[in-house]
Amino acid sequence: MSPIPRPLGLRTFGRLSLLLLACAALYLYAAHNAGRKELRALCEQGVEPKVYRKVSADGYFDGGISCLRNGCWDVLMKSGYRYIEVEQRDGDPWDPLPENGFYRLSKVRQDSGLCDAKILAEMQKAVGYRDLVSGGDCIRLEKIDSPTSNYRVFSEALTPIVVNNWFKSKINVRHFYVLDVQEDSVLYEQTIYTLFQNSIPSFSSYKTALHCQSPGISPKAVGDQNIQIESVINPMQ
C-alpha cells in the first residue's frame, strides 16, 4: 500500500498562502506599472503642440479624419469653415460617400438646391444632428480628383515601441501636423504617445491605453492631447 499523504500543517499552509499573496502582489504591481516608465521618459522629452504659424482660410484638407458614416459632415457642421476636403478610405454602398477617393463637403443653404439629400435626411432624423441643420444649412457633396486646399492636416502612424517586460507592452506613436502646401512649411505639429499595457487586469479607464496626460504619467503634460485645428487655421468670417 502507498503511504497516505499527510495533510498540510497550519504553519505550512500559512507559508504557502503568504507566498501566493506575495506573488499576486508582485504581479499586480508589475501589471499596474507595465510600460509607465518608458512612456514617462518619452513624455518628458516634450509632447506639447508646436504652433509655428497661424493662418486664416475657408477650409482645409483633413487627411486623418474618418469618413465612415457621419464622421466628415459632423466636423464641418460644428465648425466655422465653409468646406473641408477629405479622403474616403472605407467606402460602403450604403454610405453617403460610397466610393473611396477624395471629396469636398461644403456648407450651403437648404434653399440653394445643392444639398446632398441623403446626408440631409440622415441629419434631420438623428437627434444629435437636428440642431445643426435647423438653421437652414446643409451639406453639398462633390467628388474631386485630388485635394485643392492649400492647408492640409495629416496624421501618420510611426513605428511602435515594444516595451521589454512580461506583458510585451506597446507604445503607439502618431505624428500630427498641418502643412502649408504653397509655402512648403509646417504650421503645427505634435507627437502623441499611447501606451497599451497588455496587462490583466486593466488599470485604465479605456481598456489598457494610457497617454502623457493620464494621471501619474507626466506632470508637464496638461490639457488636451490634440490642439484644435481652428486655433491654427482660423475660419474666415
Side-chain angles (χ1 to χ4, degrees):
M1 288 182 63
S2 352
I4 299 175
R6 295 170 55 188
L8 294 175
L10 288 177
R11 181 176 296 177
T12 303
F13 179 79
R15 288 174 178 172
L16 287 175
S17 298
L18 287 174
L19 178 61
L20 289 174
L21 285 173
C23 290
L26 177 62
Y27 177 88
L28 291 175
Y29 176 84
H32 175 73
N33 289 284
R36 285 174 177 257
K37 180 180 70 174
E38 291 79 5
L39 177 61
R40 186 177 298 112
L42 291 169
C43 296
E44 293 296 328
Q45 295 176 10
V47 293
E48 297 303 315
K50 297 180 177 63
V51 180
Y52 305 110
R53 184 162 56 93
K54 297 182 179 182
V55 296
S56 296
D58 288 330
Y60 65 96
F61 168 75
D62 195 328
I65 194 174
S66 170
C67 293
L68 189 61
R69 300 297 178 258
N70 59 12
C72 294
W73 58 85
D74 175 71
V75 171
L76 175 61
M77 294 299 287
K78 292 179 180 179
S79 75
Y81 298 110
R82 288 177 52 195
Y83 75 89
I84 60 171
E85 294 177 339
V86 298
E87 182 180 6
Q88 171 66 293
R89 304 182 186 90
D90 305 300
D92 187 311
W94 301 103
D95 196 85
L97 281 67
E99 300 177 4
N100 287 351
F102 297 103
Y103 290 83
R104 173 184 279 239
L105 291 84
S106 305
K107 196 183 298 182
V108 297
R109 300 297 295 173
Q110 292 178 22
D111 57 7
S112 66
L114 300 174
C115 300
D116 184 277
K118 190 171 185 179
I119 294 178
L120 180 59
E122 287 197 13
M123 296 188 75
Q124 287 175 330
K125 69 182 180 183
V127 175
Y129 297 98
R130 289 175 189 165
D131 291 343
L132 298 177
V133 294
S134 62
D137 284 336
C138 65
I139 287 181
R140 178 185 184 185
L141 180 65
E142 301 171 272
K143 188 89 162 48
I144 57 178
D145 294 330
S146 60
T148 61
S149 302
N150 183 50
Y151 304 114
R152 304 182 186 183
V153 179
F154 295 97
S155 172
E156 295 181 348
L158 306 182
T159 303
I161 301 169
V162 178
V163 181
N164 184 22
N165 59 23
W166 293 347
F167 312 100
K168 297 299 180 185
S169 304
K170 182 174 67 173
I171 299 175
N172 283 354
V173 186
R174 185 164 287 275
H175 184 225
F176 294 88
Y177 62 98
V178 178
L179 183 66
D180 180 333
V181 176
Q182 186 174 353
E183 299 290 336
D184 192 23
S185 63
V186 174
L187 303 178
Y188 148 82
E189 65 179 338
Q190 184 180 22
T191 301
I192 302 295
Y193 299 102
T194 306
L195 167 65
F196 294 90
Q197 291 180 297
N198 297 333
S199 58
I200 300 175
S202 169
F203 289 95
S204 71
S205 58
Y206 180 72
K207 295 185 179 178
T208 52
L210 297 171
H211 49 76
C212 293
Q213 283 73 16
S214 297
I217 297 298
S218 175
K220 293 183 179 180
V222 295
D224 295 333
Q225 282 197 96
N226 301 325
I227 197 167
Q228 295 296 318
I229 296 301
E230 291 193 19
S231 66
V232 180
I233 307 173
N234 183 51
M236 295 181 68
Q237 301 298 322

